[in-house]
Amino acid sequence: GAGVSQSPSNKVTEKGKDVELRCDPISGHTALYWYRQSLGQGLEFLIYFQGNSAPDKSGLPSDRFSAERTGGSVSTLTIQRTQQEDSAVYLCASSTGQGSEKLFFGSGTQLSVL
Amino acid sequence: GQSLEQPSEVTAVEGAIVQINCTYQTSGFYGLSWYQQHDGGAPTFLSYNALDGLEETGRFSSFLSRSDSYGYLLLQELQMKDSASYFCAVRSASGGSYIPTFGRGTSLIVHP
């Protein structure tokens, strides 16, 4: 596609439920990032994929969070047993490679945990 | 780890010039980026500085001083549409990954 696509755009869930957030990066981009943005805050790094290398999971806040990237393209971020503090906008970004300074962001998924 | 400091809010009038500062602390510094984000929108890339000096792109310029761990974004001929949040981001080597770390953002309010 023309840009980074994320779905759903909005997700409301109940505390304790699992959620899956999807990211379709720009075709050909080998690097993919997940960030989390709470209201009025900066972007908090979660996880990074680069090609076929092992992902950098150093930003994941707890073991309830996991992510995978299938076929070097689409990525899914899974949050198990959601908590109210997980409420935030989850942003996905892609770039042409590790050395590229320009990240292209999707519009994000607004997650609300009730 | 890395840390970045930028003002939380800046206000200016249409047509004016505004400077948004960013100071950072990091090891293995690689470069400083700036992103713009309108309310409810996706962050969009504005500029990147890896070397000291000023980079100009139209009405926007970005400056970096590696020795001072400092940079700024300069916006000239401000327009109402420039009202947005602006984030600086440091790219540094972390275990071999060059992952950008973002500041908390500066909300720019442009008044008519």
Side-chain angles (χ1 to χ4, degrees):
Chain A
V4 177
S5 177
Q6 292 188 246
S7 61
S9 55
N10 284 280
K11 176 71 176 178
V12 180
T13 190
E14 294 180 349
K15 177 182 173 181
K17 300 285 190 182
D18 298 351
V19 295
E20 284 190 352
L21 312 180
R22 177 188 169 102
C23 173
D24 273 288
I26 292 173
S27 178
H29 280 193
T30 60
L32 188 147
Y33 306 76
W34 283 97
Y35 286 87
R36 177 168 71 174
Q37 185 175 31
S38 300
L39 188 64
Q41 300 297 309
L43 282 68
E44 175 190 5
F45 166 71
L46 296 177
I47 189 168
Y48 164 66
F49 297 89
Q50 170 54 49
N52 296 320
S53 302
D56 184 326
K57 305 179 182 180
S58 60
L60 294 178
S62 77
D63 59 8
R64 296 187 295 105
F65 289 72
S66 63
E68 63 177 19
R69 188 178 186 191
T70 54
S73 181
V74 172
S75 178
T76 302
L77 177 69
T78 301
I79 309 173
Q80 296 179 309
R81 305 181 302 282
T82 51
Q83 303 295 314
Q84 288 184 331
E85 60 262 29
D86 299 334
S87 296
V89 176
Y90 289 81
L91 291 162
C92 174
S94 70
S95 71
T96 56
Q98 177 173 289
S100 173
E101 68 274 10
K102 185 175 181 178
L103 271 59
F104 295 80
F105 281 87
S107 295
T109 294
Q110 172 73 63
L111 176 65
S112 300
V113 182
L114 305 180
Chain B
Q2 298 89 33
S3 68
L4 298 95
E5 293 290 333
Q6 52 181 129
S8 59
E9 185 177 294
V10 173
T11 60
V13 296
E14 222 175 349
I17 299 173
V18 72
Q19 178 174 312
I20 300 174
N21 298 320
C22 175
T23 58
Y24 59 86
Q25 289 185 317
T26 186
S27 57
F29 177 82
Y30 200 61
L32 183 72
S33 302
W34 289 92
Y35 285 79
Q36 178 192 61
Q37 184 181 33
H38 287 98
D39 277 350
T44 56
F45 174 84
L46 292 176
S47 66
Y48 177 74
N49 295 67
L51 303 175
D52 287 355
L54 190 69
E55 297 278 346
E56 299 182 60
T57 309
R59 295 188 296 113
F60 292 4
S61 303
S62 57
F63 171 83
L64 175 66
S65 169
R66 295 172 66 114
S67 60
D68 295 323
S69 298
Y70 163 75
Y72 65 72
L73 180 69
L74 189 73
L75 298 85
Q76 302 183 72
E77 301 172 18
L78 280 175
Q79 302 176 9
M80 297 295 291
K81 67 178 183 179
D82 297 329
S83 292
S85 292
Y86 293 84
F87 295 88
C88 58
V90 166
R91 184 183 282 269
S92 59
S94 169
S97 300
Y98 295 86
I99 299 167
T101 299
F102 286 78
R104 289 176 169 264
T106 298
S107 176
L108 172 63
I109 302 170
V110 180
H111 295 288

